[in-house]
Amino acid sequence: MCKHEQKTCPRCQAPFECKVGDVMHCQCYGINFTPDEKSFIEERYTDCLCRNCLLELKQKYTLFKEKYFINGNTR
């Protein structure tokens, strides 16, 4: 039995459907994060985020990393 839940994104307040019981059809499916990216997001949010926010945070993490770190060294 598939479990679907209506949620509100804690970051942007947009409504979305979380399909925890059918992850392959969930709005977040296919977005891959490195362990550092996951940690970056988990430090800031405790619940599911909408796809747009996940993609935006993934980009912000990349920009943050490029801005403050060069080959593992801080600028």
Side-chain angles (χ1 to χ4, degrees):
M1 180 162 100
C2 293
K3 180 180 177 186
H4 298 9
E5 184 178 348
Q6 292 297 326
K7 292 194 170 213
T8 300
C9 180
R11 184 169 181 262
C12 73
Q13 307 309 307
F16 67 96
E17 185 176 44
C18 177
K19 297 181 180 177
V20 69
D22 188 8
V23 174
M24 291 184 70
H25 291 103
C26 193
Q27 53 95 37
C28 65
Y29 181 76
I31 303 174
N32 298 309
F33 295 100
T34 66
D36 287 341
E37 289 170 332
K38 285 180 185 178
S39 178
F40 180 81
I41 293 170
E42 288 171 351
E43 288 172 3
R44 289 154 180 79
Y45 302 97
T46 58
D47 201 1
C48 297
L49 299 174
C50 71
R51 183 175 189 86
N52 288 338
C53 283
L54 289 172
L55 292 170
E56 188 174 312
L57 285 171
K58 183 172 177 65
Q59 180 64 27
K60 281 188 176 191
Y61 175 78
T62 300
L63 294 174
F64 176 82
K65 185 175 162 184
E66 289 176 3
K67 181 176 180 180
Y68 294 105
F69 297 97
I70 299 174
N71 299 326
N73 300 317
T74 55
R75 284 187 177 180

